[in-house]
Amino acid sequence: MKSGKKETNINAIKDISERIVKAGRELHDQGLVKGNSGNISAKIPSTDTFLIKPSGRRMENLKPEELVLVDLQGNKIRGETNVSVETPIHAAIYRARKDVQAVVHTHAPTATAFGIAKTEILPLQIELFMLLPNGVPIVPFKTPGSKALADAVQKKVADHDAVILENHGIVTVGSTIAAACNLNEMVEEAAKIQFLVMMLAGRDAVNLAELKKKFKT
Ligand SMILES: [Zn+2]
């Protein structure tokens, strides 16, 4: 590697680390993560590597130097800490989606409840419809950290920027860290609104085919 390129990578790693730490605090402040749950990662531009939150650490007090650098197979390249247990999901998404630069996984409570109730989150508001026209599908339950879970998420994320993991949580992706975090927040908000609509008007009040008809006219 030429020294100029190496220098660029060091600067990029520093910059992305700081952005991840800031985003981690925001995810915590929004109530999307509790305890040491959830994880976040971001690609180092123009490389086949990404930085990810270490295992067992709380999102709100991460330090830039604790983040772990891994390759697209999920192997650790640099870092004193252990990688997040869900690293295979992040690596599988980056391998499948070249446009994705950041992945956020949380146990956002309302959206997670939808996964337990086996109810997909629908884009009931026009803003969410623009972002997620097909809603948020559910990936059937697989053991956390397993290759089976990573494979199942990779398949669904091929054409969805947000998915629910049954009896587990949600995963959102984006072309920036801010976009992936924003989508996580929006999916949780959408779940809250859908819950209220279902309480007020019943489960059958929401229907994807009708939404598509309404928003496309
Ligand atoms: Zn999880």
Side-chain angles (χ1 to χ4, degrees):
M1 192 184 284
K2 287 192 183 124
S3 66
K5 171 108 168 138
K6 206 169 177 180
E7 189 93 339
T8 312
N9 278 350
I10 291 168
N11 288 337
I13 289 170
K14 191 169 173 284
D15 176 51
I16 300 288
S17 299
E18 283 163 8
R19 286 170 196 263
I20 289 176
V21 166
K22 182 170 170 280
R25 272 199 302 271
E26 288 171 0
L27 289 167
H28 170 265
D29 292 349
Q30 288 154 358
L32 295 168
V33 292
K34 299 281 181 193
N36 59 12
S37 74
N39 40 65
I40 179 169
S41 73
K43 284 273 293 282
I44 306 302
S46 312
T47 71
D48 283 338
T49 61
F50 63 96
L51 278 171
I52 189 161
K53 170 187 177 279
S55 172
R57 297 285 288 110
R58 294 178 70 100
M59 201 76 97
E60 73 273 25
N61 53 22
L62 284 174
K63 294 183 180 66
E65 61 275 18
E66 286 176 334
L67 300 173
V68 191
L69 188 69
V70 297
D71 66 20
L72 295 192
Q73 304 308 317
N75 302 310
K76 182 158 98 171
I77 297 173
R78 194 205 75 177
E80 300 297 315
T81 45
N82 290 327
V83 290
S84 162
V85 67
E86 295 301 358
T87 300
I89 289 183
H90 295 247
I93 291 172
Y94 293 127
R95 287 198 304 273
R97 292 268 308 262
K98 301 294 171 220
D99 60 315
V100 168
Q101 295 295 314
V103 176
V104 175
H105 164 56
T106 70
H107 301 167
T110 319
T112 299
F114 270 71
I116 296 166
K118 294 188 173 49
T119 304
E120 293 195 353
I121 297 169
L122 299 181
L124 299 183
Q125 296 161 289
I126 185 68
E127 290 89 348
L128 195 70
F129 185 82
M130 307 296 276
L131 286 173
L132 299 169
N134 293 312
V136 189
I138 300 169
V139 175
F141 182 80
K142 309 272 182 216
T143 308
S146 66
K147 183 179 180 301
L149 178 60
D151 289 347
V153 172
Q154 186 188 53
K155 227 163 125 184
K156 278 271 196 261
V157 171
D159 49 7
H160 293 88
D161 286 348
V163 297
I164 306 172
L165 311 183
E166 187 182 335
N167 292 80
H168 184 168
I170 62 173
V171 174
T172 56
V173 304
S175 58
T176 62
I177 296 170
C181 289
N182 181 57
L183 201 53
N184 216 280
E185 199 181 350
M186 287 191 75
V187 166
E188 175 64 0
E189 192 64 14
K192 286 180 185 164
I193 292 169
Q194 186 168 333
F195 176 72
L196 293 174
V197 173
M198 286 174 157
M199 292 291 283
L200 287 165
R203 286 182 77 96
D204 298 337
V206 292
N207 175 308
L208 188 57
E210 276 175 25
L211 286 171
K212 285 192 167 181
K213 225 158 75 188
K214 181 186 280 184
F215 291 149
K216 280 184 174 166
T217 54

